[in-house]
Amino acid sequence: MDSQDIFFKLTKGIRFNAARKEANNVLSEETEKNDGSTGRTVIKKKVDKNKLEAIRREQVAHFRNVNGISAAGKNIPEPVREFVELKEQYNVDEKIINNLKSCGYKKPTPVQMQIIPAMLSDRGVLACAPTGSGKTAAFLVPILAKLQKPSRQGFRVLILCPTRELSKQILRECIMLGKGTGIVPHCIRKVALDDKKFGPNFSKKFDILITTPNRLIYLMKKENSVVSFNRTEWLIIDESDKLFETGIRSFRDQLVEIERCCNENIKKAMFSATYTAQVAKWCHKNIKNLLSVTVGHRNTTVQDVEQELVYVGNETGKLIAFRDLVKQGLPIPVLVFVQSKERAKQLFNELIFDGINVDVIHADRTQLQRDNVVKAFREGNIWVLICTELMGRGIDFKGVKLVLNFDFPPSAISYIH
């Protein structure tokens, strides 16, 4: 019995894969050919494209998980790892990238990694990320890149936020990021002043309008309205959960009026530190091809912030506990939140009597007073700033050492903000 007979007996009933046999034949033929010419054996492997795509998707999913990014939607763009990818993949102006680095961003934050490529791909987004995570730059960079240069034909981007202080903060960051592009942003400070200063050509002088809904509605309802949104490409709503909440402070009716005056094909983007069902429902109904992005766990506090609950017994105990903190050595600067402007005034009078370097910001103060207080706090001239939850919404103060909720927050969302 020779070797061939033994092989047939051992392999009786076994079926060989024809494709594998063919591949082996190709490999052996190529091996003999290479052996005869160069003496080397070259093995070529056929790589399945579907397998490669599956590996790529797995790598992208792993990258999102590592950075705490959760994205839901169809055809989700890949997140960017470095700012240089914005230039290579989306042709973002190098001036904007350099401005980002000048603002202190060495690499994209998690929310920027996913939101910037999404908006550059003209996707409507709903983004939830913690306070101080870089949400403002996440929507300013793509809109500056999409606008490219000034047109002087009307507002092309409308940014809405709940307070004037936040609108000024967005304006300041927009100016820094858009330096050298020629794109002109504007923030409505005083309606009457803007009306007189710019007249009927008000809309054509700027590319980006940043304002609160109430001020914009006032301008729109004037007999000879100076604002036009016929050419508006993007509607961006910052602190969207505040604008959509129910009650006397709700801006939902104003948003409906503003949306009616905008272009039908306008793209929308919503940003907030918290996720609410009302905002999500509105987005799924009104934003086409929606991409929902969440950084970290929804409606939770930042993990690297140390938190402490202090039991004080009664209302008088709050002030005693605060004075004890001062005696121990208060880590300045300090933000103190209260529920109402009346409570803010009361606490201010108590602390100023103790000789503490303190100031207060609430709705009864004039715009000039509020601006001066915020500026002084940023410069370190004020150590303790008392403010209501609405006044402090979305404002980013660098270097704050302690945030004190003097009054218990009315909701978990208020506490997170």
Side-chain angles (χ1 to χ4, degrees), residues 8-43:
F8 284 137
K9 284 183 177 293
L10 291 173
T11 58
K12 187 177 181 179
I14 298 176
R15 294 183 179 182
F16 291 97
N17 189 313
R20 186 178 296 176
K21 185 177 179 182
E22 184 181 347
N24 289 337
N25 290 337
V26 172
L27 178 61
S28 61
E29 289 173 7
E30 188 171 349
T31 302
E32 289 177 12
K33 180 180 177 181
N34 288 333
D35 282 339
S37 57
T38 62
R40 294 181 181 178
T41 302
V42 178
I43 300 175

PDB file of all heavy atoms in Angstrom, residues 8-43:
ATOM      1  N   PHE A   8      -6.114   8.272   0.684  1.00  0.00           N
ATOM      2  CA  PHE A   8      -7.522   8.070   0.333  1.00  0.00           C
ATOM      3  C   PHE A   8      -8.304   7.448   1.484  1.00  0.00           C
ATOM      4  O   PHE A   8      -9.460   7.793   1.728  1.00  0.00           O
ATOM      5  CB  PHE A   8      -7.637   7.211  -0.923  1.00  0.00           C
ATOM      6  CG  PHE A   8      -7.319   7.973  -2.189  1.00  0.00           C
ATOM      7  CD1 PHE A   8      -6.535   7.395  -3.190  1.00  0.00           C
ATOM      8  CD2 PHE A   8      -7.804   9.265  -2.385  1.00  0.00           C
ATOM      9  CE1 PHE A   8      -6.244   8.100  -4.342  1.00  0.00           C
ATOM     10  CE2 PHE A   8      -7.511   9.959  -3.550  1.00  0.00           C
ATOM     11  CZ  PHE A   8      -6.725   9.397  -4.527  1.00  0.00           C
ATOM     12  N   LYS A   9      -7.707   6.484   2.197  1.00  0.00           N
ATOM     13  CA  LYS A   9      -8.388   5.831   3.312  1.00  0.00           C
ATOM     14  C   LYS A   9      -8.625   6.809   4.473  1.00  0.00           C
ATOM     15  O   LYS A   9      -9.668   6.813   5.123  1.00  0.00           O
ATOM     16  CB  LYS A   9      -7.564   4.621   3.785  1.00  0.00           C
ATOM     17  CG  LYS A   9      -7.675   3.409   2.869  1.00  0.00           C
ATOM     18  CD  LYS A   9      -6.911   2.246   3.443  1.00  0.00           C
ATOM     19  CE  LYS A   9      -7.071   1.008   2.562  1.00  0.00           C
ATOM     20  NZ  LYS A   9      -8.465   0.494   2.579  1.00  0.00           N
ATOM     21  N   LEU A  10      -7.610   7.638   4.756  1.00  0.00           N
ATOM     22  CA  LEU A  10      -7.720   8.585   5.863  1.00  0.00           C
ATOM     23  C   LEU A  10      -8.705   9.720   5.579  1.00  0.00           C
ATOM     24  O   LEU A  10      -9.305  10.293   6.493  1.00  0.00           O
ATOM     25  CB  LEU A  10      -6.348   9.178   6.197  1.00  0.00           C
ATOM     26  CG  LEU A  10      -5.329   8.214   6.814  1.00  0.00           C
ATOM     27  CD1 LEU A  10      -3.968   8.896   6.925  1.00  0.00           C
ATOM     28  CD2 LEU A  10      -5.791   7.764   8.200  1.00  0.00           C
ATOM     29  N   THR A  11      -8.863  10.070   4.336  1.00  0.00           N
ATOM     30  CA  THR A  11      -9.710  11.224   3.972  1.00  0.00           C
ATOM     31  C   THR A  11     -11.046  10.816   3.389  1.00  0.00           C
ATOM     32  O   THR A  11     -11.748  11.636   2.795  1.00  0.00           O
ATOM     33  CB  THR A  11      -8.963  12.121   2.959  1.00  0.00           C
ATOM     34  OG1 THR A  11      -8.636  11.326   1.800  1.00  0.00           O
ATOM     35  CG2 THR A  11      -7.716  12.699   3.559  1.00  0.00           C
ATOM     36  N   LYS A  12     -11.419   9.568   3.558  1.00  0.00           N
ATOM     37  CA  LYS A  12     -12.672   9.083   3.002  1.00  0.00           C
ATOM     38  C   LYS A  12     -13.867   9.797   3.666  1.00  0.00           C
ATOM     39  O   LYS A  12     -13.989   9.846   4.888  1.00  0.00           O
ATOM     40  CB  LYS A  12     -12.785   7.577   3.249  1.00  0.00           C
ATOM     41  CG  LYS A  12     -13.986   6.950   2.542  1.00  0.00           C
ATOM     42  CD  LYS A  12     -13.990   5.441   2.768  1.00  0.00           C
ATOM     43  CE  LYS A  12     -15.183   4.798   2.049  1.00  0.00           C
ATOM     44  NZ  LYS A  12     -15.197   3.336   2.237  1.00  0.00           N
ATOM     45  N   GLY A  13     -14.748  10.365   2.839  1.00  0.00           N
ATOM     46  CA  GLY A  13     -15.928  11.072   3.337  1.00  0.00           C
ATOM     47  C   GLY A  13     -15.718  12.535   3.653  1.00  0.00           C
ATOM     48  O   GLY A  13     -16.658  13.239   3.971  1.00  0.00           O
ATOM     49  N   ILE A  14     -14.482  13.030   3.570  1.00  0.00           N
ATOM     50  CA  ILE A  14     -14.189  14.439   3.885  1.00  0.00           C
ATOM     51  C   ILE A  14     -14.323  15.273   2.626  1.00  0.00           C
ATOM     52  O   ILE A  14     -13.810  14.898   1.571  1.00  0.00           O
ATOM     53  CB  ILE A  14     -12.772  14.585   4.472  1.00  0.00           C
ATOM     54  CG1 ILE A  14     -12.665  13.796   5.786  1.00  0.00           C
ATOM     55  CG2 ILE A  14     -12.438  16.056   4.696  1.00  0.00           C
ATOM     56  CD1 ILE A  14     -11.286  13.803   6.380  1.00  0.00           C
ATOM     57  N   ARG A  15     -15.006  16.444   2.729  1.00  0.00           N
ATOM     58  CA  ARG A  15     -15.162  17.352   1.587  1.00  0.00           C
ATOM     59  C   ARG A  15     -14.247  18.569   1.795  1.00  0.00           C
ATOM     60  O   ARG A  15     -14.277  19.207   2.828  1.00  0.00           O
ATOM     61  CB  ARG A  15     -16.605  17.826   1.460  1.00  0.00           C
ATOM     62  CG  ARG A  15     -17.566  16.702   1.103  1.00  0.00           C
ATOM     63  CD  ARG A  15     -18.960  17.247   0.930  1.00  0.00           C
ATOM     64  NE  ARG A  15     -19.900  16.189   0.572  1.00  0.00           N
ATOM     65  CZ  ARG A  15     -21.192  16.378   0.324  1.00  0.00           C
ATOM     66  NH1 ARG A  15     -21.678  17.611   0.415  1.00  0.00           N
ATOM     67  NH2 ARG A  15     -21.970  15.371   0.008  1.00  0.00           N
ATOM     68  N   PHE A  16     -13.481  18.889   0.787  1.00  0.00           N
ATOM     69  CA  PHE A  16     -12.562  20.029   0.851  1.00  0.00           C
ATOM     70  C   PHE A  16     -13.232  21.259   0.258  1.00  0.00           C
ATOM     71  O   PHE A  16     -14.009  21.177  -0.689  1.00  0.00           O
ATOM     72  CB  PHE A  16     -11.271  19.722   0.082  1.00  0.00           C
ATOM     73  CG  PHE A  16     -10.421  18.678   0.732  1.00  0.00           C
ATOM     74  CD1 PHE A  16     -10.483  17.347   0.311  1.00  0.00           C
ATOM     75  CD2 PHE A  16      -9.579  19.004   1.771  1.00  0.00           C
ATOM     76  CE1 PHE A  16      -9.715  16.385   0.917  1.00  0.00           C
ATOM     77  CE2 PHE A  16      -8.803  18.051   2.384  1.00  0.00           C
ATOM     78  CZ  PHE A  16      -8.863  16.729   1.952  1.00  0.00           C
ATOM     79  N   ASN A  17     -12.902  22.441   0.868  1.00  0.00           N
ATOM     80  CA  ASN A  17     -13.418  23.718   0.372  1.00  0.00           C
ATOM     81  C   ASN A  17     -12.750  24.059  -0.954  1.00  0.00           C
ATOM     82  O   ASN A  17     -11.543  24.168  -1.051  1.00  0.00           O
ATOM     83  CB  ASN A  17     -13.118  24.824   1.404  1.00  0.00           C
ATOM     84  CG  ASN A  17     -13.819  26.118   1.055  1.00  0.00           C
ATOM     85  OD1 ASN A  17     -13.771  26.561  -0.075  1.00  0.00           O
ATOM     86  ND2 ASN A  17     -14.478  26.704   2.049  1.00  0.00           N
ATOM     87  N   ALA A  18     -13.579  24.224  -1.976  1.00  0.00           N
ATOM     88  CA  ALA A  18     -13.036  24.463  -3.314  1.00  0.00           C
ATOM     89  C   ALA A  18     -12.281  25.776  -3.394  1.00  0.00           C
ATOM     90  O   ALA A  18     -11.225  25.875  -4.026  1.00  0.00           O
ATOM     91  CB  ALA A  18     -14.175  24.451  -4.337  1.00  0.00           C
ATOM     92  N   ALA A  19     -12.821  26.800  -2.716  1.00  0.00           N
ATOM     93  CA  ALA A  19     -12.151  28.114  -2.756  1.00  0.00           C
ATOM     94  C   ALA A  19     -10.790  28.041  -2.096  1.00  0.00           C
ATOM     95  O   ALA A  19      -9.814  28.606  -2.584  1.00  0.00           O
ATOM     96  CB  ALA A  19     -13.016  29.167  -2.062  1.00  0.00           C
ATOM     97  N   ARG A  20     -10.727  27.336  -0.932  1.00  0.00           N
ATOM     98  CA  ARG A  20      -9.451  27.199  -0.238  1.00  0.00           C
ATOM     99  C   ARG A  20      -8.458  26.421  -1.095  1.00  0.00           C
ATOM    100  O   ARG A  20      -7.290  26.731  -1.155  1.00  0.00           O
ATOM    101  CB  ARG A  20      -9.667  26.506   1.100  1.00  0.00           C
ATOM    102  CG  ARG A  20      -8.430  26.442   1.956  1.00  0.00           C
ATOM    103  CD  ARG A  20      -8.712  25.779   3.289  1.00  0.00           C
ATOM    104  NE  ARG A  20      -9.645  26.574   4.059  1.00  0.00           N
ATOM    105  CZ  ARG A  20     -10.117  26.179   5.232  1.00  0.00           C
ATOM    106  NH1 ARG A  20      -9.771  25.023   5.754  1.00  0.00           N
ATOM    107  NH2 ARG A  20     -10.961  26.961   5.887  1.00  0.00           N
ATOM    108  N   LYS A  21      -8.965  25.363  -1.790  1.00  0.00           N
ATOM    109  CA  LYS A  21      -8.102  24.569  -2.652  1.00  0.00           C
ATOM    110  C   LYS A  21      -7.552  25.414  -3.790  1.00  0.00           C
ATOM    111  O   LYS A  21      -6.373  25.343  -4.134  1.00  0.00           O
ATOM    112  CB  LYS A  21      -8.897  23.385  -3.212  1.00  0.00           C
ATOM    113  CG  LYS A  21      -8.084  22.408  -4.027  1.00  0.00           C
ATOM    114  CD  LYS A  21      -8.953  21.239  -4.463  1.00  0.00           C
ATOM    115  CE  LYS A  21      -8.147  20.266  -5.308  1.00  0.00           C
ATOM    116  NZ  LYS A  21      -8.970  19.138  -5.795  1.00  0.00           N
ATOM    117  N   GLU A  22      -8.448  26.254  -4.351  1.00  0.00           N
ATOM    118  CA  GLU A  22      -8.021  27.132  -5.445  1.00  0.00           C
ATOM    119  C   GLU A  22      -6.984  28.134  -4.956  1.00  0.00           C
ATOM    120  O   GLU A  22      -5.991  28.403  -5.633  1.00  0.00           O
ATOM    121  CB  GLU A  22      -9.246  27.862  -5.997  1.00  0.00           C
ATOM    122  CG  GLU A  22      -8.935  28.739  -7.199  1.00  0.00           C
ATOM    123  CD  GLU A  22     -10.160  29.474  -7.700  1.00  0.00           C
ATOM    124  OE1 GLU A  22     -11.283  29.123  -7.282  1.00  0.00           O
ATOM    125  OE2 GLU A  22      -9.983  30.398  -8.505  1.00  0.00           O
ATOM    126  N   ALA A  23      -7.211  28.678  -3.762  1.00  0.00           N
ATOM    127  CA  ALA A  23      -6.256  29.645  -3.206  1.00  0.00           C
ATOM    128  C   ALA A  23      -4.909  28.987  -2.959  1.00  0.00           C
ATOM    129  O   ALA A  23      -3.864  29.582  -3.210  1.00  0.00           O
ATOM    130  CB  ALA A  23      -6.806  30.226  -1.902  1.00  0.00           C
ATOM    131  N   ASN A  24      -4.956  27.724  -2.469  1.00  0.00           N
ATOM    132  CA  ASN A  24      -3.706  27.007  -2.238  1.00  0.00           C
ATOM    133  C   ASN A  24      -2.971  26.746  -3.544  1.00  0.00           C
ATOM    134  O   ASN A  24      -1.744  26.814  -3.617  1.00  0.00           O
ATOM    135  CB  ASN A  24      -3.985  25.675  -1.537  1.00  0.00           C
ATOM    136  CG  ASN A  24      -4.419  25.877  -0.098  1.00  0.00           C
ATOM    137  OD1 ASN A  24      -4.108  26.903   0.477  1.00  0.00           O
ATOM    138  ND2 ASN A  24      -5.140  24.904   0.451  1.00  0.00           N
ATOM    139  N   ASN A  25      -3.743  26.466  -4.608  1.00  0.00           N
ATOM    140  CA  ASN A  25      -3.124  26.241  -5.909  1.00  0.00           C
ATOM    141  C   ASN A  25      -2.440  27.503  -6.406  1.00  0.00           C
ATOM    142  O   ASN A  25      -1.327  27.470  -6.939  1.00  0.00           O
ATOM    143  CB  ASN A  25      -4.173  25.794  -6.925  1.00  0.00           C
ATOM    144  CG  ASN A  25      -4.679  24.385  -6.637  1.00  0.00           C
ATOM    145  OD1 ASN A  25      -3.986  23.619  -5.983  1.00  0.00           O
ATOM    146  ND2 ASN A  25      -5.877  24.056  -7.129  1.00  0.00           N
ATOM    147  N   VAL A  26      -3.121  28.633  -6.240  1.00  0.00           N
ATOM    148  CA  VAL A  26      -2.531  29.907  -6.675  1.00  0.00           C
ATOM    149  C   VAL A  26      -1.261  30.187  -5.898  1.00  0.00           C
ATOM    150  O   VAL A  26      -0.247  30.607  -6.450  1.00  0.00           O
ATOM    151  CB  VAL A  26      -3.546  31.064  -6.473  1.00  0.00           C
ATOM    152  CG1 VAL A  26      -2.883  32.398  -6.743  1.00  0.00           C
ATOM    153  CG2 VAL A  26      -4.743  30.855  -7.376  1.00  0.00           C
ATOM    154  N   LEU A  27      -1.305  29.934  -4.585  1.00  0.00           N
ATOM    155  CA  LEU A  27      -0.147  30.170  -3.735  1.00  0.00           C
ATOM    156  C   LEU A  27       1.022  29.284  -4.145  1.00  0.00           C
ATOM    157  O   LEU A  27       2.151  29.741  -4.257  1.00  0.00           O
ATOM    158  CB  LEU A  27      -0.519  29.910  -2.278  1.00  0.00           C
ATOM    159  CG  LEU A  27       0.595  30.059  -1.250  1.00  0.00           C
ATOM    160  CD1 LEU A  27       1.142  31.467  -1.263  1.00  0.00           C
ATOM    161  CD2 LEU A  27       0.096  29.685   0.139  1.00  0.00           C
ATOM    162  N   SER A  28       0.732  27.983  -4.423  1.00  0.00           N
ATOM    163  CA  SER A  28       1.820  27.076  -4.781  1.00  0.00           C
ATOM    164  C   SER A  28       2.415  27.445  -6.120  1.00  0.00           C
ATOM    165  O   SER A  28       3.625  27.361  -6.318  1.00  0.00           O
ATOM    166  CB  SER A  28       1.302  25.634  -4.810  1.00  0.00           C
ATOM    167  OG  SER A  28       0.276  25.501  -5.788  1.00  0.00           O
ATOM    168  N   GLU A  29       1.596  27.877  -7.095  1.00  0.00           N
ATOM    169  CA  GLU A  29       2.104  28.267  -8.398  1.00  0.00           C
ATOM    170  C   GLU A  29       3.005  29.501  -8.274  1.00  0.00           C
ATOM    171  O   GLU A  29       4.079  29.565  -8.868  1.00  0.00           O
ATOM    172  CB  GLU A  29       0.943  28.583  -9.335  1.00  0.00           C
ATOM    173  CG  GLU A  29       0.168  27.344  -9.771  1.00  0.00           C
ATOM    174  CD  GLU A  29      -1.063  27.688 -10.566  1.00  0.00           C
ATOM    175  OE1 GLU A  29      -1.244  28.882 -10.881  1.00  0.00           O
ATOM    176  OE2 GLU A  29      -1.844  26.773 -10.878  1.00  0.00           O
ATOM    177  N   GLU A  30       2.578  30.434  -7.468  1.00  0.00           N
ATOM    178  CA  GLU A  30       3.378  31.649  -7.291  1.00  0.00           C
ATOM    179  C   GLU A  30       4.677  31.336  -6.567  1.00  0.00           C
ATOM    180  O   GLU A  30       5.720  31.902  -6.866  1.00  0.00           O
ATOM    181  CB  GLU A  30       2.571  32.692  -6.515  1.00  0.00           C
ATOM    182  CG  GLU A  30       3.264  34.048  -6.455  1.00  0.00           C
ATOM    183  CD  GLU A  30       2.363  35.115  -5.878  1.00  0.00           C
ATOM    184  OE1 GLU A  30       1.166  34.878  -5.708  1.00  0.00           O
ATOM    185  OE2 GLU A  30       2.893  36.189  -5.598  1.00  0.00           O
ATOM    186  N   THR A  31       4.615  30.401  -5.629  1.00  0.00           N
ATOM    187  CA  THR A  31       5.819  30.008  -4.895  1.00  0.00           C
ATOM    188  C   THR A  31       6.856  29.392  -5.823  1.00  0.00           C
ATOM    189  O   THR A  31       8.032  29.727  -5.781  1.00  0.00           O
ATOM    190  CB  THR A  31       5.456  29.008  -3.787  1.00  0.00           C
ATOM    191  OG1 THR A  31       4.515  29.604  -2.929  1.00  0.00           O
ATOM    192  CG2 THR A  31       6.682  28.622  -3.007  1.00  0.00           C
ATOM    193  N   GLU A  32       6.408  28.495  -6.723  1.00  0.00           N
ATOM    194  CA  GLU A  32       7.326  27.850  -7.651  1.00  0.00           C
ATOM    195  C   GLU A  32       7.943  28.884  -8.594  1.00  0.00           C
ATOM    196  O   GLU A  32       9.135  28.852  -8.869  1.00  0.00           O
ATOM    197  CB  GLU A  32       6.586  26.794  -8.473  1.00  0.00           C
ATOM    198  CG  GLU A  32       6.191  25.571  -7.666  1.00  0.00           C
ATOM    199  CD  GLU A  32       5.392  24.586  -8.486  1.00  0.00           C
ATOM    200  OE1 GLU A  32       5.361  24.769  -9.721  1.00  0.00           O
ATOM    201  OE2 GLU A  32       4.808  23.682  -7.892  1.00  0.00           O
ATOM    202  N   LYS A  33       7.109  29.862  -9.009  1.00  0.00           N
ATOM    203  CA  LYS A  33       7.607  30.883  -9.920  1.00  0.00           C
ATOM    204  C   LYS A  33       8.671  31.755  -9.246  1.00  0.00           C
ATOM    205  O   LYS A  33       9.730  32.021  -9.814  1.00  0.00           O
ATOM    206  CB  LYS A  33       6.435  31.768 -10.367  1.00  0.00           C
ATOM    207  CG  LYS A  33       6.833  32.880 -11.321  1.00  0.00           C
ATOM    208  CD  LYS A  33       5.607  33.696 -11.703  1.00  0.00           C
ATOM    209  CE  LYS A  33       6.023  34.857 -12.602  1.00  0.00           C
ATOM    210  NZ  LYS A  33       4.857  35.695 -12.969  1.00  0.00           N
ATOM    211  N   ASN A  34       8.438  32.159  -8.044  1.00  0.00           N
ATOM    212  CA  ASN A  34       9.388  33.002  -7.330  1.00  0.00           C
ATOM    213  C   ASN A  34      10.645  32.221  -6.956  1.00  0.00           C
ATOM    214  O   ASN A  34      11.744  32.759  -6.965  1.00  0.00           O
ATOM    215  CB  ASN A  34       8.744  33.576  -6.066  1.00  0.00           C
ATOM    216  CG  ASN A  34       7.702  34.650  -6.409  1.00  0.00           C
ATOM    217  OD1 ASN A  34       7.812  35.283  -7.441  1.00  0.00           O
ATOM    218  ND2 ASN A  34       6.714  34.804  -5.565  1.00  0.00           N
ATOM    219  N   ASP A  35      10.451  30.956  -6.627  1.00  0.00           N
ATOM    220  CA  ASP A  35      11.626  30.142  -6.284  1.00  0.00           C
ATOM    221  C   ASP A  35      12.572  30.025  -7.467  1.00  0.00           C
ATOM    222  O   ASP A  35      13.788  30.028  -7.310  1.00  0.00           O
ATOM    223  CB  ASP A  35      11.193  28.748  -5.839  1.00  0.00           C
ATOM    224  CG  ASP A  35      10.685  28.752  -4.404  1.00  0.00           C
ATOM    225  OD1 ASP A  35      11.030  29.694  -3.671  1.00  0.00           O
ATOM    226  OD2 ASP A  35       9.947  27.828  -4.062  1.00  0.00           O
ATOM    227  N   GLY A  36      11.960  29.962  -8.660  1.00  0.00           N
ATOM    228  CA  GLY A  36      12.810  29.779  -9.833  1.00  0.00           C
ATOM    229  C   GLY A  36      13.543  31.025 -10.245  1.00  0.00           C
ATOM    230  O   GLY A  36      14.621  30.953 -10.819  1.00  0.00           O
ATOM    231  N   SER A  37      12.991  32.205  -9.951  1.00  0.00           N
ATOM    232  CA  SER A  37      13.604  33.454 -10.431  1.00  0.00           C
ATOM    233  C   SER A  37      14.493  34.120  -9.378  1.00  0.00           C
ATOM    234  O   SER A  37      15.675  34.392  -9.627  1.00  0.00           O
ATOM    235  CB  SER A  37      12.521  34.436 -10.883  1.00  0.00           C
ATOM    236  OG  SER A  37      11.631  34.663  -9.801  1.00  0.00           O
ATOM    237  N   THR A  38      13.945  34.379  -8.184  1.00  0.00           N
ATOM    238  CA  THR A  38      14.714  35.120  -7.173  1.00  0.00           C
ATOM    239  C   THR A  38      15.090  34.263  -5.982  1.00  0.00           C
ATOM    240  O   THR A  38      15.873  34.690  -5.155  1.00  0.00           O
ATOM    241  CB  THR A  38      13.898  36.335  -6.667  1.00  0.00           C
ATOM    242  OG1 THR A  38      12.720  35.853  -6.047  1.00  0.00           O
ATOM    243  CG2 THR A  38      13.522  37.248  -7.823  1.00  0.00           C
ATOM    244  N   GLY A  39      14.473  33.101  -5.873  1.00  0.00           N
ATOM    245  CA  GLY A  39      14.760  32.255  -4.718  1.00  0.00           C
ATOM    246  C   GLY A  39      13.954  32.635  -3.496  1.00  0.00           C
ATOM    247  O   GLY A  39      14.136  32.071  -2.435  1.00  0.00           O
ATOM    248  N   ARG A  40      13.042  33.609  -3.622  1.00  0.00           N
ATOM    249  CA  ARG A  40      12.219  34.046  -2.504  1.00  0.00           C
ATOM    250  C   ARG A  40      10.786  33.558  -2.673  1.00  0.00           C
ATOM    251  O   ARG A  40      10.309  33.387  -3.792  1.00  0.00           O
ATOM    252  CB  ARG A  40      12.202  35.581  -2.385  1.00  0.00           C
ATOM    253  CG  ARG A  40      13.554  36.168  -2.031  1.00  0.00           C
ATOM    254  CD  ARG A  40      13.428  37.666  -1.918  1.00  0.00           C
ATOM    255  NE  ARG A  40      14.695  38.283  -1.601  1.00  0.00           N
ATOM    256  CZ  ARG A  40      14.861  39.603  -1.487  1.00  0.00           C
ATOM    257  NH1 ARG A  40      13.835  40.404  -1.686  1.00  0.00           N
ATOM    258  NH2 ARG A  40      16.044  40.097  -1.192  1.00  0.00           N
ATOM    259  N   THR A  41      10.134  33.357  -1.563  1.00  0.00           N
ATOM    260  CA  THR A  41       8.727  32.952  -1.574  1.00  0.00           C
ATOM    261  C   THR A  41       7.871  34.132  -1.140  1.00  0.00           C
ATOM    262  O   THR A  41       8.010  34.636  -0.034  1.00  0.00           O
ATOM    263  CB  THR A  41       8.498  31.767  -0.620  1.00  0.00           C
ATOM    264  OG1 THR A  41       9.343  30.692  -1.023  1.00  0.00           O
ATOM    265  CG2 THR A  41       7.040  31.330  -0.667  1.00  0.00           C
ATOM    266  N   VAL A  42       7.013  34.616  -2.032  1.00  0.00           N
ATOM    267  CA  VAL A  42       6.132  35.747  -1.739  1.00  0.00           C
ATOM    268  C   VAL A  42       4.714  35.222  -1.599  1.00  0.00           C
ATOM    269  O   VAL A  42       4.203  34.559  -2.508  1.00  0.00           O
ATOM    270  CB  VAL A  42       6.191  36.820  -2.848  1.00  0.00           C
ATOM    271  CG1 VAL A  42       5.240  37.956  -2.537  1.00  0.00           C
ATOM    272  CG2 VAL A  42       7.616  37.321  -3.002  1.00  0.00           C
ATOM    273  N   ILE A  43       4.099  35.475  -0.453  1.00  0.00           N
ATOM    274  CA  ILE A  43       2.738  35.010  -0.195  1.00  0.00           C
ATOM    275  C   ILE A  43       1.804  36.214  -0.189  1.00  0.00           C
ATOM    276  O   ILE A  43       1.996  37.161   0.563  1.00  0.00           O
ATOM    277  CB  ILE A  43       2.657  34.273   1.151  1.00  0.00           C
ATOM    278  CG1 ILE A  43       3.589  33.061   1.126  1.00  0.00           C
ATOM    279  CG2 ILE A  43       1.228  33.836   1.438  1.00  0.00           C
ATOM    280  CD1 ILE A  43       3.658  32.335   2.447  1.00  0.00           C
TER     281      ILE A  43
END
